[in-house]
Amino acid sequence: MGAAQSLDDYRGNYRYNLMDENIRRFAANVPQFHTWDDHETINDWWPGKIISESQTKRLHYRSTDVDKLAANARRAFFEYSPVSDDTIRRGAIWRPISYGPMLDVFLLDQRSHRSANKIDGRNDMDDGAVLMGRAQIDWLKTALAGSKATWKVIASPLPLAHINRGNSEGDFDKFANGQGGQPVGREREAAEILSWIKAKNIHNTFWIAADVHYAAANQFHPDRAAFKDFRPFWEFIAGPFHTQAFPPGRLDPTFGPQNHYASTHGVKGNQPPSAGWCNFGHAEIDAASGAMTLSF
């Protein structure tokens, strides 16, 4: 048994999940907005990545070209995810979702337009290092400026300050590079967005993220930050939904994060939701006051 490679393989992964009665009931009762990250294709991938020899042998890849896998993965994603015809025509996964007068959600894609990860981190410190790309950043700015909703949720697949612990390509897979100090590399994209929100006097924005295998509530404040040109804001992380729970990661101090809640570390190995180590978040907006309450 190898990893998914053909279009039929990726379609089969979606169909496999839909064999489960609980998943089908969930899909029938819960509205869903989908974006994607690495595991829709292969762990910690980027455009142009070449699959390593060890991965090729272990997972029986017939091709080492990730772009071919990503093309199949993207088509299967569009076929099996609740996305609009306009989204499919554009071919861009990032898009806005208007959910009534009090909530706009801005779904980001931080996988399709990024530069390469590097084990030594030099790419992340490079001026050419990107995570979202210019077109997506400009779109997000325009969409935020045009939003009339009370709350503006930036749905980022990747957390802003999480630092991985080891020494692998995945350690430089997100915004943070673990150096602290002024924004460099991919952190510059986050800095540009945050300072622009402040300059345009946009209120009631917060970020939700996933990817990492824990849940957390982090507040970012310029008083604690090396980079100070932004409004204070919150980031809420929820995960994993049905796999192994990890201990919370360290936080890069560039944007002044402070952790107010973090989930506990689960037992070793992959676990089903019934084991109790999986996390999800819940947000509720009061129709009368407009106040939002979030919980895990």
Side-chain angles (χ1 to χ4, degrees):
M1 178 66 71
Q5 299 179 65
S6 69
L7 178 57
D8 283 343
D9 289 340
Y10 284 105
R11 286 168 168 165
N13 283 344
Y14 284 97
R15 289 197 296 268
Y16 176 79
N17 288 328
L18 294 174
M19 292 170 63
D20 185 85
E21 178 185 350
N22 299 297
I23 292 292
R24 293 197 303 271
R25 187 165 62 247
F26 180 85
N29 287 279
V30 180
Q32 298 176 52
F33 310 147
H34 290 192
T35 186
W36 77 342
D37 196 27
D38 53 342
H39 285 283
E40 277 78 16
T41 299
I42 183 175
N43 189 45
D44 294 334
W45 72 278
W46 61 84
K49 176 181 170 66
I50 301 299
I51 302 173
S52 68
E53 183 177 348
S54 62
Q55 284 181 309
T56 301
K57 290 180 178 179
R58 180 167 54 89
L59 299 173
H60 307 291
Y61 280 105
R62 296 182 296 275
S63 170
T64 60
D65 184 353
V66 167
D67 290 346
K68 293 180 180 178
L69 301 179
N72 291 332
R74 176 184 292 269
R75 179 168 174 180
F77 173 86
F78 283 141
E79 290 176 351
Y80 283 87
S81 302
V83 297
S84 68
D85 290 341
D86 177 65
T87 298
I88 295 173
R89 282 193 295 270
R90 290 191 302 114
I93 291 173
W94 40 270
R95 61 198 188 277
I97 302 290
S98 182
Y99 207 61
M102 292 189 175
L103 177 63
D104 280 347
V105 181
F106 305 95
L107 296 169
L108 305 184
D109 174 5
Q110 293 161 344
R111 194 58 52 180
S112 302
H113 314 288
R114 62 164 55 208
S115 55
N117 299 352
K118 295 292 184 183
I119 292 177
D120 59 13
R122 283 180 296 186
N123 177 270
D124 196 53
M125 305 291 282
D126 191 284
D127 286 345
V130 299
L131 200 67
M132 295 170 56
R134 173 50 49 196
Q136 185 172 189
I137 291 172
D138 289 346
W139 161 79
L140 179 60
K141 289 179 177 180
T142 300
L144 284 168
S147 173
K148 305 299 182 184
T150 305
W151 293 97
K152 303 161 186 66
V153 178
I154 300 172
S156 170
L158 301 174
L160 285 166
H162 172 90
I163 304 172
N164 281 13
R165 287 176 165 76
N167 184 28
S168 68
E169 292 171 340
D171 294 341
F172 301 96
D173 191 59
K174 302 172 179 58
F175 283 105
N177 52 48
Q179 302 297 314
Q182 291 298 310
V184 293
R186 291 168 172 169
E187 292 174 334
R188 295 179 311 149
E189 292 186 326
E192 178 181 341
I193 294 166
L194 295 175
S195 62
W196 186 89
I197 289 172
K198 176 184 175 183
K200 296 300 181 180
N201 201 30
I202 298 173
H203 295 268
N204 295 342
T205 65
F206 66 89
W207 297 59
I208 57 174
D211 184 72
V212 293
H213 294 214
Y214 61 86
N218 300 320
Q219 188 203 35
F220 292 75
H221 202 290
D223 290 350
R224 296 186 294 265
F227 176 81
K228 298 182 178 297
D229 187 24
F230 67 94
R231 292 182 180 278
F233 68 96
W234 286 83
E235 173 192 60
F236 301 95
I237 304 169
F241 201 64
H242 69 103
T243 188
Q244 183 177 1
F246 294 159
R250 295 182 298 115
L251 300 178
D252 187 300
T254 294
F255 299 112
Q258 184 177 63
N259 177 254
H260 287 255
Y261 166 80
S263 58
T264 55
H265 184 196
V267 297
K268 187 176 181 179
N270 290 340
Q271 299 292 320
S274 57
W277 296 108
C278 298
N279 307 290
F280 62 92
H282 180 264
E284 183 175 6
I285 301 175
D286 183 87
S289 67
M292 178 180 285
T293 303
L294 290 101
S295 60
F296 292 100

